[in-house]
Amino acid sequence: GCSERMGRWKSVLPFRGSTMVETVVTVALAACARVILVTGYRGDELAALFAGEPRVTVVHNPSWELGMFSSIQRGAAAVSTPRHFVQLADMPFVSLSVYGSLIEASEADFVFPVRGGERGHPVLIGPRALEAVLAADAGTGSMKEIARRLTAVEVPWSDDAVLKDVDRPADLADG
């Protein structure tokens, strides 16, 4: 998105000595062999930011204004592994241990970290879920709807990092 609630573009805001998007990608790269970074608004800037990182594949979503699902779908089209994560660039508080716990969980179409009964991110997605994402309509598709139809495992999580996104300046002060 274009960070309307923040008032400034979130992806490149300073966060713990880096930017939000670099923090999220660095943690994901510690857990995964490759990160597929889907861009939309100001996508050229993010592509330039990661141009020197061969393990980051940048995929532009020209339909980003349709919403988050269209970006998830564009990233899913570039997936080449049986299971993959979906993580949001505005969730820089997620630690490496979350990824490991999800990988160790039982295999299912979806594996969610859960805090206080609420499903969070990252989400580990299996092959049937990937197929469903790719088959859905980019403008009306919904991860929640797809998850309702398929199997899911919920991994209890002890802190709110898996739920905590950054939408407003005050959200950064918490970290």
Coordinates of all heavy atoms in Angstrom, one line a residue, residues 18-102:
S18 N 18.1 0.0 10.7 CA 17.8 -0.4 9.3 C 16.5 0.3 8.9 O 16.2 1.3 9.4 CB 17.8 -1.9 9.2 OG 17.7 -2.3 7.8
T19 N 15.8 -0.3 7.9 CA 14.5 0.1 7.6 C 13.5 -1.0 7.9 O 14.0 -2.2 8.2 CB 14.4 0.4 6.1 OG1 14.6 -0.8 5.3 CG2 15.3 1.5 5.6
M20 N 12.3 -0.7 7.9 CA 11.3 -1.8 8.2 C 11.4 -2.9 7.3 O 11.5 -4.1 7.7 CB 9.9 -1.2 8.2 CG 9.6 -0.5 9.5 SD 7.8 -0.5 10.0 CE 6.9 -0.5 8.5
V21 N 11.4 -2.6 6.0 CA 11.4 -3.7 5.0 C 12.7 -4.5 5.0 O 12.7 -5.7 4.9 CB 11.1 -3.2 3.5 CG1 12.2 -2.3 3.0 CG2 10.8 -4.4 2.6
E22 N 13.8 -3.8 5.3 CA 15.1 -4.6 5.4 C 15.1 -5.5 6.6 O 15.7 -6.6 6.5 CB 16.3 -3.6 5.4 CG 16.6 -2.9 4.1 CD 17.6 -1.8 4.2 OE1 17.4 -0.9 5.0 OE2 18.6 -1.9 3.5
T23 N 14.5 -5.0 7.7 CA 14.4 -5.8 8.9 C 13.6 -7.1 8.6 O 14.1 -8.2 9.0 CB 13.8 -5.0 10.0 OG1 14.7 -3.9 10.3 CG2 13.7 -5.9 11.3
V24 N 12.5 -6.9 8.0 CA 11.6 -8.1 7.7 C 12.3 -9.1 6.8 O 12.3 -10.3 7.0 CB 10.3 -7.6 7.1 CG1 9.5 -8.8 6.6 CG2 9.5 -6.8 8.2
V25 N 13.0 -8.5 5.7 CA 13.7 -9.4 4.7 C 14.9 -10.1 5.4 O 15.1 -11.3 5.2 CB 14.1 -8.6 3.5 CG1 15.0 -9.4 2.6 CG2 12.8 -8.2 2.7
T26 N 15.6 -9.4 6.2 CA 16.8 -10.0 6.9 C 16.4 -11.2 7.7 O 17.0 -12.3 7.7 CB 17.5 -9.0 7.7 OG1 18.0 -8.0 6.8 CG2 18.7 -9.6 8.5
V27 N 15.3 -11.0 8.5 CA 14.8 -12.2 9.4 C 14.3 -13.3 8.5 O 14.6 -14.5 8.7 CB 13.7 -11.7 10.3 CG1 13.1 -12.8 11.1 CG2 14.3 -10.7 11.3
A28 N 13.6 -13.0 7.4 CA 13.1 -14.0 6.6 C 14.3 -14.8 5.9 O 14.2 -16.0 5.7 CB 12.1 -13.4 5.5
L29 N 15.3 -14.1 5.5 CA 16.4 -14.7 4.8 C 17.2 -15.6 5.8 O 17.9 -16.6 5.4 CB 17.4 -13.7 4.2 CG 16.9 -13.0 2.9 CD1 17.9 -11.9 2.5 CD2 16.8 -14.1 1.8
A30 N 17.1 -15.3 7.1 CA 17.8 -16.2 8.1 C 17.0 -17.5 8.2 O 17.6 -18.5 8.6 CB 17.8 -15.5 9.4
A31 N 15.8 -17.5 7.8 CA 14.9 -18.7 7.9 C 14.8 -19.4 6.5 O 14.5 -20.6 6.5 CB 13.6 -18.4 8.4
C32 N 14.9 -18.7 5.5 CA 14.6 -19.2 4.1 C 15.7 -19.0 3.2 O 16.6 -18.2 3.3 CB 13.4 -18.4 3.6 SG 11.9 -18.4 4.7
A33 N 15.7 -19.9 2.1 CA 16.8 -19.8 1.1 C 16.6 -18.6 0.2 O 17.6 -18.0 -0.4 CB 16.8 -21.1 0.2
R34 N 15.3 -18.1 0.1 CA 15.0 -17.0 -0.8 C 13.8 -16.2 -0.3 O 12.9 -16.8 0.3 CB 14.8 -17.6 -2.2 CG 14.3 -16.5 -3.3 CD 14.2 -17.2 -4.6 NE 13.0 -17.9 -4.8 CZ 12.1 -17.8 -5.8 NH1 12.3 -16.9 -6.7 NH2 11.0 -18.5 -5.8
V35 N 13.8 -14.9 -0.6 CA 12.6 -14.1 -0.3 C 12.1 -13.6 -1.6 O 12.9 -13.0 -2.4 CB 13.0 -13.0 0.7 CG1 11.9 -11.9 0.7 CG2 13.3 -13.5 2.1
I36 N 10.8 -13.7 -1.8 CA 10.1 -13.1 -2.9 C 9.5 -11.8 -2.4 O 8.6 -11.8 -1.5 CB 9.1 -14.0 -3.5 CG1 9.7 -15.3 -4.0 CG2 8.3 -13.3 -4.6 CD1 8.7 -16.4 -4.3
L37 N 10.0 -10.7 -2.8 CA 9.5 -9.4 -2.3 C 8.6 -8.8 -3.4 O 9.0 -8.5 -4.5 CB 10.7 -8.4 -2.1 CG 10.3 -7.0 -1.6 CD1 9.7 -7.0 -0.2 CD2 11.6 -6.1 -1.6
V38 N 7.3 -8.7 -3.0 CA 6.3 -8.1 -3.9 C 6.2 -6.6 -3.7 O 6.0 -6.2 -2.6 CB 5.0 -8.8 -3.8 CG1 4.0 -8.3 -4.8 CG2 5.1 -10.3 -3.9
T39 N 6.4 -5.9 -4.8 CA 6.3 -4.5 -4.7 C 5.1 -3.9 -5.5 O 4.5 -4.6 -6.3 CB 7.6 -3.8 -5.3 OG1 7.6 -4.0 -6.7 CG2 8.8 -4.3 -4.7
G40 N 4.8 -2.7 -5.1 CA 3.7 -2.0 -5.8 C 4.0 -0.6 -5.8 O 4.9 -0.1 -6.6
Y41 N 3.4 0.2 -4.9 CA 3.7 1.6 -4.8 C 5.2 1.8 -4.5 O 5.8 1.2 -3.7 CB 2.9 2.1 -3.6 CG 3.1 3.6 -3.2 CD1 2.5 4.6 -4.0 CD2 3.8 3.9 -2.1 CE1 2.7 5.9 -3.7 CE2 3.9 5.2 -1.7 CZ 3.4 6.2 -2.5 OH 3.6 7.5 -2.2
R42 N 5.8 2.7 -5.3 CA 7.2 3.0 -5.2 C 8.1 1.7 -5.3 O 9.1 1.6 -4.7 CB 7.5 3.8 -4.0 CG 6.8 5.1 -4.0 CD 6.9 5.9 -2.7 NE 8.3 6.3 -2.3 CZ 8.6 7.1 -1.3 NH1 7.6 7.6 -0.6 NH2 9.8 7.4 -1.0
G43 N 7.6 0.8 -6.1 CA 8.3 -0.5 -6.3 C 9.7 -0.4 -6.8 O 10.6 -1.2 -6.4
D44 N 10.0 0.6 -7.6 CA 11.4 0.7 -8.1 C 12.4 1.0 -7.0 O 13.5 0.6 -7.1 CB 11.4 1.8 -9.2 CG 10.7 1.5 -10.5 OD1 10.4 0.3 -10.7 OD2 10.4 2.4 -11.3
E45 N 11.9 1.8 -6.0 CA 12.8 2.1 -4.9 C 13.2 0.8 -4.1 O 14.3 0.6 -3.7 CB 12.2 3.1 -4.0 CG 12.1 4.5 -4.6 CD 11.3 5.4 -3.8 OE1 11.6 5.6 -2.6 OE2 10.3 6.0 -4.3
L46 N 12.2 -0.1 -3.9 CA 12.5 -1.3 -3.2 C 13.3 -2.2 -4.0 O 14.2 -2.9 -3.5 CB 11.2 -2.0 -2.8 CG 10.3 -1.3 -1.7 CD1 9.1 -2.1 -1.4 CD2 11.1 -1.0 -0.5
A47 N 13.1 -2.3 -5.3 CA 13.9 -3.1 -6.2 C 15.4 -2.6 -6.1 O 16.3 -3.4 -6.0 CB 13.4 -3.0 -7.6
A48 N 15.6 -1.3 -6.1 CA 17.0 -0.8 -6.0 C 17.6 -1.1 -4.7 O 18.8 -1.4 -4.6 CB 16.9 0.7 -6.3
L49 N 16.8 -1.0 -3.6 CA 17.3 -1.3 -2.3 C 17.8 -2.7 -2.1 O 18.8 -3.0 -1.4 CB 16.2 -1.1 -1.3 CG 16.5 -1.1 0.2 CD1 17.5 -0.1 0.6 CD2 15.2 -1.0 1.0
F50 N 17.2 -3.7 -2.8 CA 17.7 -5.1 -2.7 C 18.4 -5.6 -4.0 O 18.6 -6.8 -4.1 CB 16.4 -6.0 -2.5 CG 15.9 -5.8 -1.1 CD1 14.8 -4.9 -0.9 CD2 16.5 -6.3 0.0 CE1 14.3 -4.7 0.4 CE2 16.0 -6.1 1.3 CZ 14.9 -5.3 1.5
A51 N 18.8 -4.7 -4.8 CA 19.5 -5.1 -6.1 C 20.8 -5.9 -5.8 O 21.1 -6.7 -6.6 CB 19.8 -3.8 -6.9
G52 N 21.5 -5.6 -4.7 CA 22.7 -6.3 -4.4 C 22.5 -7.6 -3.7 O 23.5 -8.3 -3.3
E53 N 21.3 -8.0 -3.4 CA 21.0 -9.3 -2.6 C 20.5 -10.3 -3.6 O 19.3 -10.3 -3.9 CB 20.0 -9.0 -1.5 CG 19.6 -10.2 -0.7 CD 20.7 -11.1 -0.2 OE1 21.4 -10.7 0.7 OE2 20.9 -12.2 -0.8
P54 N 21.3 -11.3 -4.0 CA 20.9 -12.3 -4.9 C 19.8 -13.3 -4.4 O 19.1 -13.9 -5.2 CB 22.1 -13.1 -5.3 CG 23.0 -12.8 -4.1 CD 22.7 -11.5 -3.6
R55 N 19.6 -13.3 -3.1 CA 18.6 -14.2 -2.5 C 17.2 -13.5 -2.4 O 16.2 -14.1 -2.0 CB 19.0 -14.7 -1.2 CG 20.2 -15.6 -1.3 CD 20.8 -16.0 0.1 NE 19.7 -16.5 1.0 CZ 19.7 -16.5 2.3 NH1 20.7 -15.9 2.9 NH2 18.8 -17.0 3.0
V56 N 17.1 -12.3 -2.9 CA 15.8 -11.6 -2.9 C 15.4 -11.4 -4.4 O 16.1 -10.8 -5.2 CB 15.9 -10.2 -2.2 CG1 14.6 -9.4 -2.4 CG2 16.3 -10.3 -0.8
T57 N 14.2 -12.0 -4.6 CA 13.6 -11.9 -6.0 C 12.5 -10.8 -5.8 O 11.6 -11.0 -5.0 CB 13.0 -13.2 -6.4 OG1 14.0 -14.2 -6.5 CG2 12.3 -13.1 -7.8
V58 N 12.6 -9.8 -6.6 CA 11.6 -8.7 -6.6 C 10.6 -8.9 -7.7 O 11.0 -9.1 -8.9 CB 12.3 -7.3 -6.7 CG1 11.2 -6.2 -6.7 CG2 13.3 -7.1 -5.6
V59 N 9.3 -9.0 -7.3 CA 8.2 -9.2 -8.2 C 7.3 -7.9 -8.1 O 6.9 -7.6 -7.0 CB 7.4 -10.4 -7.9 CG1 6.2 -10.6 -8.8 CG2 8.3 -11.7 -8.0
H60 N 7.1 -7.3 -9.2 CA 6.3 -6.1 -9.2 C 4.8 -6.5 -9.4 O 4.5 -7.3 -10.3 CB 6.7 -5.0 -10.2 CG 5.9 -3.8 -10.2 ND1 5.9 -2.9 -9.1 CD2 4.9 -3.3 -11.0 CE1 5.1 -1.9 -9.3 NE2 4.4 -2.2 -10.5
N61 N 3.9 -5.9 -8.6 CA 2.5 -6.1 -8.8 C 1.9 -4.8 -9.3 O 1.6 -3.9 -8.6 CB 1.8 -6.4 -7.4 CG 0.3 -6.6 -7.5 OD1 -0.2 -6.6 -8.6 ND2 -0.4 -6.6 -6.4
P62 N 1.6 -4.8 -10.6 CA 1.1 -3.6 -11.2 C -0.4 -3.3 -10.8 O -0.9 -2.2 -10.9 CB 1.1 -3.8 -12.7 CG 1.2 -5.3 -12.9 CD 1.8 -5.8 -11.6
S63 N -1.0 -4.3 -10.2 CA -2.4 -4.2 -9.7 C -2.4 -4.0 -8.2 O -3.4 -4.4 -7.5 CB -3.2 -5.4 -10.1 OG -3.2 -5.6 -11.5
W64 N -1.4 -3.5 -7.6 CA -1.3 -3.4 -6.1 C -2.5 -2.7 -5.5 O -2.9 -2.9 -4.4 CB 0.0 -2.7 -5.7 CG 0.2 -1.3 -6.1 CD1 0.8 -0.9 -7.3 CD2 -0.2 -0.2 -5.4 NE1 0.8 0.5 -7.3 CE2 0.2 1.0 -6.2 CE3 -0.8 0.1 -4.2 CZ2 -0.1 2.3 -5.8 CZ3 -1.1 1.4 -3.8 CH2 -0.7 2.5 -4.6
E65 N -3.1 -1.8 -6.2 CA -4.2 -1.0 -5.7 C -5.5 -1.9 -5.5 O -6.4 -1.5 -4.8 CB -4.6 0.2 -6.6 CG -3.5 1.2 -6.6 CD -3.8 2.4 -7.4 OE1 -4.9 3.0 -7.3 OE2 -2.9 2.8 -8.3
L66 N -5.5 -3.1 -6.0 CA -6.6 -4.0 -5.8 C -6.5 -4.5 -4.3 O -7.5 -5.1 -3.8 CB -6.5 -5.2 -6.7 CG -6.8 -5.0 -8.2 CD1 -6.6 -6.3 -9.0 CD2 -8.3 -4.5 -8.3
G67 N -5.4 -4.4 -3.7 CA -5.3 -4.9 -2.3 C -4.2 -5.9 -2.1 O -3.6 -6.4 -3.0
M68 N -4.1 -6.3 -0.8 CA -3.0 -7.2 -0.4 C -3.1 -8.6 -1.1 O -2.1 -9.2 -1.4 CB -3.1 -7.4 1.1 CG -1.9 -8.2 1.7 SD -2.0 -8.6 3.4 CE -2.6 -7.1 4.1
F69 N -4.3 -9.1 -1.3 CA -4.4 -10.4 -1.9 C -3.8 -10.5 -3.3 O -3.2 -11.4 -3.6 CB -5.9 -10.9 -1.9 CG -6.0 -12.3 -2.4 CD1 -5.7 -13.4 -1.6 CD2 -6.3 -12.6 -3.8 CE1 -5.8 -14.7 -2.0 CE2 -6.3 -13.9 -4.2 CZ -6.1 -15.0 -3.4
S70 N -4.0 -9.4 -4.0 CA -3.4 -9.4 -5.4 C -1.8 -9.5 -5.3 O -1.2 -10.1 -6.1 CB -3.8 -8.1 -6.2 OG -3.2 -7.0 -5.6
S71 N -1.2 -8.9 -4.3 CA 0.2 -9.0 -4.1 C 0.6 -10.4 -3.6 O 1.6 -10.9 -4.1 CB 0.7 -7.9 -3.1 OG 0.6 -6.6 -3.6
I72 N -0.2 -11.0 -2.7 CA 0.1 -12.3 -2.3 C 0.1 -13.3 -3.5 O 0.9 -14.1 -3.7 CB -0.9 -12.8 -1.2 CG1 -0.6 -12.0 0.1 CG2 -0.8 -14.3 -1.0 CD1 -1.7 -12.2 1.2
Q73 N -0.9 -13.0 -4.4 CA -1.0 -13.9 -5.6 C 0.1 -13.7 -6.5 O 0.7 -14.7 -7.0 CB -2.3 -13.5 -6.3 CG -2.8 -14.5 -7.2 CD -4.2 -14.2 -7.7 OE1 -4.5 -13.0 -8.1 NE2 -5.1 -15.2 -7.8
R74 N 0.6 -12.5 -6.7 CA 1.8 -12.2 -7.5 C 3.0 -12.9 -7.0 O 3.8 -13.5 -7.7 CB 2.1 -10.7 -7.7 CG 1.1 -10.0 -8.5 CD 1.1 -10.4 -9.9 NE 2.1 -9.7 -10.6 CZ 2.1 -9.6 -11.9 NH1 1.2 -10.1 -12.7 NH2 3.1 -8.9 -12.5
G75 N 3.2 -12.9 -5.7 CA 4.3 -13.5 -5.1 C 4.2 -15.1 -5.2 O 5.2 -15.8 -5.5
A76 N 3.0 -15.6 -5.0 CA 2.7 -17.0 -5.1 C 3.1 -17.5 -6.5 O 3.6 -18.7 -6.6 CB 1.3 -17.3 -4.7
A77 N 2.9 -16.7 -7.5 CA 3.2 -17.2 -8.8 C 4.7 -17.4 -9.0 O 5.1 -18.1 -10.0 CB 2.7 -16.2 -9.9
A78 N 5.5 -16.8 -8.2 CA 7.0 -17.0 -8.3 C 7.5 -18.1 -7.3 O 8.8 -18.3 -7.3 CB 7.7 -15.6 -8.0
V79 N 6.7 -18.7 -6.6 CA 7.1 -19.7 -5.6 C 7.5 -21.0 -6.4 O 6.9 -21.4 -7.3 CB 6.0 -20.0 -4.6 CG1 6.3 -21.3 -3.8 CG2 5.7 -18.8 -3.7
S80 N 8.7 -21.6 -5.9 CA 9.2 -22.8 -6.5 C 9.4 -23.9 -5.5 O 10.1 -24.9 -5.8 CB 10.4 -22.5 -7.3 OG 11.4 -22.0 -6.5
T81 N 8.9 -23.8 -4.3 CA 9.1 -24.7 -3.3 C 7.7 -25.3 -2.9 O 6.7 -24.6 -3.1 CB 9.8 -24.1 -2.0 OG1 9.0 -23.0 -1.6 CG2 11.2 -23.7 -2.4
P82 N 7.7 -26.5 -2.2 CA 6.4 -27.1 -1.8 C 5.7 -26.2 -0.7 O 4.5 -26.1 -0.7 CB 6.8 -28.4 -1.3 CG 8.1 -28.7 -1.7 CD 8.8 -27.4 -2.0
R83 N 6.5 -25.6 0.2 CA 5.9 -24.8 1.2 C 6.6 -23.4 1.2 O 7.8 -23.4 0.9 CB 6.0 -25.4 2.6 CG 5.2 -26.7 2.7 CD 5.4 -27.5 3.9 NE 6.0 -26.9 5.1 CZ 5.8 -27.3 6.3 NH1 5.1 -28.4 6.6 NH2 6.4 -26.7 7.4
H84 N 5.9 -22.4 1.5 CA 6.4 -21.1 1.6 C 5.7 -20.2 2.6 O 4.6 -20.6 3.1 CB 6.4 -20.4 0.2 CG 5.0 -20.0 -0.2 ND1 4.1 -20.9 -0.7 CD2 4.3 -18.8 -0.2 CE1 2.9 -20.3 -1.0 NE2 3.1 -19.0 -0.7
F85 N 6.4 -19.2 3.0 CA 5.8 -18.2 4.0 C 5.2 -17.0 3.3 O 5.7 -16.6 2.3 CB 6.9 -17.7 5.0 CG 7.4 -18.7 5.9 CD1 8.6 -19.4 5.7 CD2 6.7 -19.0 7.1 CE1 9.0 -20.3 6.7 CE2 7.1 -19.9 8.0 CZ 8.3 -20.6 7.8
V86 N 4.2 -16.5 3.9 CA 3.7 -15.1 3.6 C 3.9 -14.3 4.8 O 3.5 -14.6 5.9 CB 2.2 -15.2 3.2 CG1 1.7 -13.7 3.0 CG2 2.0 -16.0 1.9
Q87 N 4.7 -13.2 4.6 CA 5.0 -12.3 5.7 C 4.8 -10.9 5.2 O 5.0 -10.6 4.0 CB 6.4 -12.4 6.2 CG 6.9 -11.4 7.2 CD 6.0 -11.4 8.5 OE1 4.8 -11.7 8.5 NE2 6.6 -11.0 9.6
L88 N 4.3 -10.0 6.0 CA 4.0 -8.6 5.6 C 5.2 -7.7 6.0 O 5.8 -7.8 7.0 CB 2.7 -8.2 6.3 CG 1.5 -9.1 6.2 CD1 0.3 -8.6 6.9 CD2 1.2 -9.3 4.7
A89 N 5.5 -6.7 5.1 CA 6.6 -5.8 5.3 C 6.4 -4.9 6.4 O 7.4 -4.2 6.8 CB 6.9 -5.1 4.0
D90 N 5.2 -4.7 6.9 CA 5.0 -3.8 8.0 C 4.9 -4.5 9.4 O 4.3 -4.0 10.3 CB 3.7 -2.9 7.8 CG 2.4 -3.7 7.8 OD1 2.4 -4.9 7.8 OD2 1.4 -3.0 7.8
M91 N 5.5 -5.7 9.4 CA 5.5 -6.5 10.7 C 7.0 -6.7 11.1 O 7.4 -7.9 11.1 CB 4.7 -7.7 10.6 CG 3.3 -7.5 10.3 SD 2.3 -9.0 10.4 CE 2.3 -9.4 12.1
P92 N 7.7 -5.7 11.4 CA 9.2 -5.9 11.7 C 9.5 -6.5 13.1 O 10.7 -6.7 13.4 CB 9.7 -4.4 11.6 CG 8.6 -3.6 12.1 CD 7.3 -4.3 11.6
F93 N 8.5 -6.7 13.9 CA 8.8 -7.3 15.2 C 8.9 -8.8 15.3 O 9.3 -9.4 16.3 CB 7.7 -6.8 16.2 CG 7.6 -5.3 16.3 CD1 6.6 -4.6 15.7 CD2 8.5 -4.6 17.1 CE1 6.5 -3.3 15.8 CE2 8.4 -3.2 17.2 CZ 7.4 -2.6 16.5
V94 N 8.6 -9.5 14.2 CA 8.6 -10.9 14.1 C 10.1 -11.4 14.2 O 10.9 -10.9 13.5 CB 7.9 -11.4 12.8 CG1 8.1 -12.9 12.6 CG2 6.4 -11.1 12.9
S95 N 10.3 -12.4 15.0 CA 11.6 -13.0 15.2 C 11.8 -14.2 14.4 O 10.9 -14.9 13.9 CB 11.9 -13.2 16.7 OG 11.1 -14.3 17.1
L96 N 13.1 -14.6 14.2 CA 13.5 -15.8 13.5 C 12.8 -17.1 14.2 O 12.4 -18.0 13.4 CB 15.0 -16.0 13.5 CG 15.6 -17.2 12.9 CD1 15.2 -17.3 11.4 CD2 17.1 -17.2 13.0
S97 N 12.6 -17.1 15.5 CA 12.1 -18.2 16.1 C 10.7 -18.6 15.7 O 10.2 -19.7 15.7 CB 12.2 -18.1 17.7 OG 11.4 -16.9 18.1
V98 N 9.9 -17.6 15.3 CA 8.6 -17.8 14.8 C 8.6 -18.7 13.5 O 7.9 -19.7 13.4 CB 7.8 -16.5 14.4 CG1 6.4 -16.8 13.9 CG2 7.7 -15.6 15.6
Y99 N 9.5 -18.4 12.6 CA 9.6 -19.2 11.4 C 10.0 -20.6 11.7 O 9.4 -21.6 11.2 CB 10.7 -18.6 10.5 CG 10.3 -17.3 9.8 CD1 10.6 -16.1 10.4 CD2 9.8 -17.3 8.5 CE1 10.2 -14.9 9.8 CE2 9.4 -16.1 7.9 CZ 9.7 -14.9 8.5 OH 9.3 -13.8 7.9
G100 N 10.9 -20.8 12.6 CA 11.3 -22.2 13.0 C 10.2 -22.9 13.6 O 10.0 -24.1 13.3
S101 N 9.4 -22.3 14.5 CA 8.3 -23.0 15.1 C 7.3 -23.4 14.1 O 6.7 -24.5 14.2 CB 7.7 -22.1 16.2 OG 8.6 -21.9 17.3
L102 N 7.0 -22.6 13.1 CA 6.0 -22.9 12.1 C 6.5 -24.1 11.2 O 5.7 -25.0 10.9 CB 5.7 -21.7 11.3 CG 5.1 -20.5 12.0 CD1 4.8 -19.4 11.0 CD2 3.8 -20.9 12.7

